[in-house]
Amino acid sequence: LSASGRTAGNGRQYSGAAHRPHGRLYFPRMATTADDVSLAGPLAAYRGLEDAVLDERIEAVRRRMGPRLVILGHHYQQDGVIAHADLQGDSYQLSKSAAEREGCEAIAFCGVHFMAETADILVNRPEKVAARGGRRVAVVLPDMAAGCSMADMAGIEQVEDAWADLGTVIDTADITPVTYINSAASLKAFCGRHGGIVCTSSNARAVLDWAFARTKRVLFFPDQHLGRNTARKMGIPLDEMCVWNPHDPTLGGNSREQLQKSRVILWQGHCSVHAMFKPEHVDAMRANIPGVKVLVHPECAMEVVDKADLAGSTSYILKQVEEAPPGTQWAIGTELHLVKRLEQRHPEQTIRFLSPVVCMCATMYRIDLAHLCWSLEHLEAGRPVNVIRVDDETAKWSVTALERMLAVK
């Protein structure tokens, strides 16, 4: 987790913005000055402002609010947004660090919906709210359309239905539900209520060890690839895994025998970014750059991970590059903005994007300077927009699952 510089450089609301391909917002730019748009005005007015004007206004809010405001920027954000972040990192790291900030009264999370939910859960735990005299920290998501396609692949009703169907074949008391941090708060709460746990891409193996020490089986959602890659590293064969298709009413597309044999039941979900990387991309990169080291995220398909030299979480990828000697040649399979940022920061190394196809998080990219400025000025004016508020019951059980994760070594 790093602090960036202060200088500028399924019931969800969706905006009606027009989009370029790959999710880039497109609005005609006018030569508008800061004085032409009143503070905390309508979003449409901000869309006409030049980036330099938006940068200036964002920084002005940061100066006036000081430590009362914390802006969180996920690694996958575009550079213009990251330039204004107090902290940048992975989703859980950001939420945890924000919750530890003294004097914080408001958080703007430049990420996606589930990340802002996690921040709300952690920063507004009952004991923290009580210590603040009952005051909640407002958590806002600059654009409510910034969702996560993978998180949306596992809805709470689907998971509850799957759990009930599994119970007709095997004893659910012998299944530990494990949800990836990249999931809705409702799924974290489901795990909390059913003896389950949350994992990140960094601790997935330790979490599965914890689960198998308690039960014979694991139901892993929403990302099948992280679950499969982790289980294989633990020595679990593929014939002891199955994939649950939530759209197939017949036991998720499985036979009773397959479910009874399986130790790992993988939800049929994936990251749309990491699914773009293919085994042939690895082959092509090795042919073009002899000696290249291929480094990928474990959300990539098994066939890609098998061909890579190294696979690990975003923090692992960053660490590998930061510690590599000058002259190291990398082909990296993860989100485009992160790879390009690494290339800029490490000119002493050769860093290439693994895929010839653009693989960026289009929903994360929805958050731009206009949305950030608009949300910050409304926060400062005491009229916050796009507030993320997890209900108390869901938050309570989500914390239970998160605390189990934190206890895993």
Side-chain angles (χ1 to χ4, degrees):
L1 188 68
S2 62
S4 73
R6 285 186 174 267
T7 57
N10 254 319
R12 196 171 297 146
Q13 300 173 15
Y14 288 87
S15 64
H19 294 86
R20 284 180 179 169
H22 312 305
R24 182 177 177 81
L25 293 174
Y26 173 73
F27 299 99
R29 289 293 188 187
M30 301 177 292
T32 310
T33 66
D35 293 336
D36 293 329
V37 178
S38 60
L39 296 178
L43 175 60
Y46 289 79
R47 289 169 170 163
L49 290 173
E50 295 285 352
D51 285 352
V53 174
L54 293 166
D55 283 333
E56 179 184 334
R57 288 174 66 151
I58 290 167
E59 288 303 305
V61 174
R62 295 181 69 199
R63 287 192 298 270
R64 290 190 296 265
M65 292 193 69
R68 294 182 296 132
L69 169 68
V70 176
I71 301 176
L72 304 178
H74 189 270
H75 284 305
Y76 296 174
Q77 283 295 330
Q78 52 187 298
D79 290 345
V81 172
I82 279 287
H84 296 286
D86 295 291
L87 298 169
Q88 61 177 284
D90 289 336
S91 59
Y92 182 71
Q93 290 175 314
L94 289 170
S95 297
K96 184 173 179 290
S97 295
E100 295 167 354
R101 284 259 176 144
E102 296 292 335
C104 174
E105 296 179 8
I107 293 171
F109 208 129
C110 299
V112 294
H113 197 272
F114 78 80
M115 299 178 188
E117 283 186 330
T118 303
D120 179 61
I121 290 167
L122 293 180
V123 79
N124 289 311
R125 292 176 64 164
E127 63 273 22
K128 288 185 174 291
V129 173
R132 294 192 294 263
R135 178 180 58 79
R136 293 182 60 86
V137 171
V139 178
V140 303
L141 184 65
D143 186 349
M144 290 291 274
C148 172
S149 59
M150 177 170 66
D152 291 342
M153 289 177 191
I156 183 59
E157 295 85 2
Q158 293 174 316
V159 171
E160 289 174 339
D161 287 347
W163 193 256
D165 289 345
L166 284 168
T168 67
V169 180
I170 51 184
D171 183 4
T172 53
D174 204 26
I175 306 175
T176 298
V178 177
T179 189
Y180 191 19
I181 191 77
N182 297 23
S183 61
S186 56
L187 298 195
K188 296 178 178 73
F190 176 90
C191 289
R193 289 194 302 271
H194 292 278
I197 190 169
V198 179
C199 79
T200 68
S201 52
S202 297
N203 66 14
R205 177 165 185 163
V207 165
L208 288 189
D209 282 335
W210 178 93
F212 283 125
R214 288 156 176 77
T215 59
K216 180 180 179 181
R217 297 180 175 88
V218 162
L219 171 62
F220 191 98
F221 48 84
D223 181 33
Q224 62 173 306
H225 299 301
L226 177 62
R228 182 181 294 108
N229 289 324
T230 305
R232 285 185 72 223
K233 285 182 68 175
M234 297 170 65
I236 298 174
L238 289 175
D239 63 2
E240 292 183 12
M241 304 183 209
C242 67
V243 177
W244 185 278
N245 179 357
H247 304 291
D248 191 325
T250 310
L251 296 177
N254 298 282
S255 67
R256 296 176 67 89
E257 292 73 24
Q258 180 61 51
L259 289 172
Q260 290 166 348
K261 183 181 180 181
S262 293
R263 295 179 62 197
V264 181
I265 303 165
L266 301 163
W267 195 265
Q268 188 173 289
H270 63 271
C271 169
S272 58
V273 171
H274 293 100
M276 295 288 288
F277 298 105
K278 306 297 181 185
E280 53 266 31
H281 297 161
V282 180
D283 295 337
M285 196 62 71
R286 293 198 192 281
N288 292 332
I289 309 177
V292 70
K293 297 178 73 173
V294 179
L295 173 59
V296 302
H297 195 282
E299 289 175 19
C300 292
M302 173 183 68
E303 295 80 6
V304 175
V305 171
D306 283 351
K307 281 181 172 285
D309 297 293
L310 298 165
S313 66
T314 300
S315 58
Y316 176 85
I317 291 172
L318 292 172
K319 186 172 185 287
Q320 292 301 310
V321 174
E322 288 165 359
E323 295 180 353
T328 303
Q329 300 181 103
W330 296 105
I332 302 179
T334 192
E335 203 274 341
L336 178 62
H337 286 100
L338 176 59
V339 177
K340 291 299 183 184
R341 204 168 291 133
L342 283 171
E343 186 178 5
Q344 293 165 6
R345 291 177 181 173
H346 295 278
E348 80 285 359
Q349 301 179 48
T350 300
I351 297 174
R352 296 291 181 265
F353 189 59
L354 179 60
S355 172
V357 180
V358 172
C359 304
M360 70 176 189
C361 186
T363 51
M364 189 91 70
Y365 201 61
R366 290 177 184 271
I367 295 179
D368 57 6
L369 292 175
H371 281 88
L372 179 57
C373 185
W374 172 70
S375 60
L376 292 183
E377 290 188 349
H378 277 78
L379 261 178
E380 185 185 24
R383 303 195 307 273
V385 293
N386 294 354
V387 176
I388 303 300
R389 172 73 160 87
V390 179
D391 69 88
D392 292 345
E393 185 70 7
T394 299
K396 180 186 78 171
W397 286 110
S398 295
V399 166
T400 298
L402 287 164
E403 285 180 336
R404 289 176 185 143
M405 178 185 77
L406 292 176
V408 170
K409 303 301 181 184

